[in-house]
Amino acid sequence: DGGITQSPKYLFRKEGQNVTLSCEQNLNHDAMYWYRQDPGQGLRLIYYSQIVNDFQKGDIAEGYSVSREKKESFPLTVTSAQKNPTAFYLCASTGTDHTGELFFGEGSRLTVL
Amino acid sequence: GQNIDQPTEMTATEGAIVQINCTYQTSGFNGLFWYQQHAGEAPTFLSYNVLDGLEEKGRFSSFLSRSKGYSYLLLKELQMKDSASYLCAVLDSNYQLIWGAGTKLIIKP
């Protein structure tokens, strides 16, 4: 079945460590997104990519990095520069018809110890 | 700036009807979405409105008034499984989604 797969679902990190969250989709979607969600807040856009080898910063890109070497894959690295990384991270994708309906992965919950 | 407002929390009774409102001020408008999100899970798509009026889909309906910058999600015959957060999002002129903070709906027996 087509869908988006995020891994890991839960991740613990020590301060000062970089971690990479995986996101893979087999929906043949061009656009992919990374969001961060904190309690009581809406989804905030970290990075997005509309085509392979191209990506754009969202509203809260500082302390994060991404790559888009393949259409199917859009990994997110949370670097040690991100001062408050504990959050729920959601990857999503959409087609190019601009109706905007997003298909989400199950999410990755990152906790910094 | 761009802004979407929804109530933080609402409570309703099983079997009843509830209306969740959303008002928005955005740079352009290319549609409004409602998503449902259960705790600890990803959002799932409920509805998309781009023209004024009411869209009905089973127990859920969504209404849009572009002139008023207003939408609501109507849930009928509430079930316990409807306890979730409901997220309103607007597609702006750059086809980027602007998200509200979500409304946590609590259903009581």
Side-chain angles (χ1 to χ4, degrees):
Chain A
D1 286 355
I4 300 181
T5 302
Q6 281 185 245
S7 63
K9 190 167 185 177
Y10 298 96
L11 184 62
F12 298 89
R13 185 193 98 174
K14 293 182 180 180
E15 285 191 15
Q17 288 182 331
N18 292 356
V19 294
T20 297
L21 307 181
S22 169
C23 179
E24 303 279 332
Q25 55 100 358
N26 60 4
L27 299 167
N28 200 34
H29 284 167
D30 288 306
M32 296 187 74
Y33 304 80
W34 273 105
Y35 287 97
R36 170 179 172 144
Q37 188 174 35
D38 295 283
Q41 296 193 33
L43 302 184
R44 292 187 290 169
L45 184 63
I46 305 173
Y47 269 99
Y48 65 99
S49 168
Q50 294 181 317
I51 57 171
V52 175
N53 292 322
D54 186 54
F55 48 83
Q56 306 295 328
K57 292 182 178 181
D59 300 321
I60 56 165
E62 185 175 352
Y64 300 97
S65 66
V66 292
S67 63
R68 187 84 186 276
E69 296 177 2
K70 299 186 300 182
K71 187 176 184 177
E72 301 79 16
S73 179
F74 191 41
L76 173 74
T77 297
V78 185
T79 75
S80 57
Q82 170 49 237
K83 297 307 177 187
N84 185 24
T86 295
F88 188 50
Y89 292 89
L90 287 160
C91 180
S93 71
T94 187
T96 56
D97 60 1
H98 289 305
T99 62
E101 178 187 347
L102 289 175
F103 295 80
F104 286 90
E106 292 186 344
S108 296
R109 186 167 298 280
L110 172 63
T111 302
V112 174
L113 303 174
Chain B
Q2 307 202 87
N3 193 50
I4 296 182
D5 289 314
Q6 329 176 212
T8 302
E9 187 175 295
M10 299 181 71
T11 302
T13 304
E14 190 177 15
I17 299 173
V18 71
Q19 177 175 312
I20 303 174
N21 295 326
C22 171
T23 58
Y24 62 89
Q25 302 93 35
T26 56
S27 301
F29 179 85
N30 281 300
L32 184 144
F33 294 81
W34 284 97
Y35 283 80
Q36 180 191 60
Q37 186 179 25
H38 286 99
E41 299 181 7
T44 55
F45 171 79
L46 289 177
S47 67
Y48 170 66
N49 294 66
V50 66
L51 299 175
D52 291 350
L54 187 68
E55 296 275 347
E56 296 186 76
K57 190 184 295 185
R59 294 188 298 113
F60 293 6
S61 302
S62 57
F63 172 82
L64 174 68
S65 169
R66 289 172 296 171
S67 63
K68 295 182 179 179
Y70 168 71
S71 172
Y72 67 73
L73 180 70
L74 191 71
L75 291 75
K76 303 177 183 177
E77 301 169 16
L78 286 170
Q79 302 175 9
M80 297 304 292
K81 68 179 182 180
D82 297 330
S83 291
S85 288
Y86 291 85
L87 310 178
C88 174
V90 171
L91 200 60
D92 70 7
S93 57
N94 293 320
Y95 292 97
Q96 296 298 322
L97 273 174
I98 311 301
W99 294 86
T103 298
K104 182 178 181 180
L105 178 63
I106 300 168
I107 309 296
K108 296 187 175 181

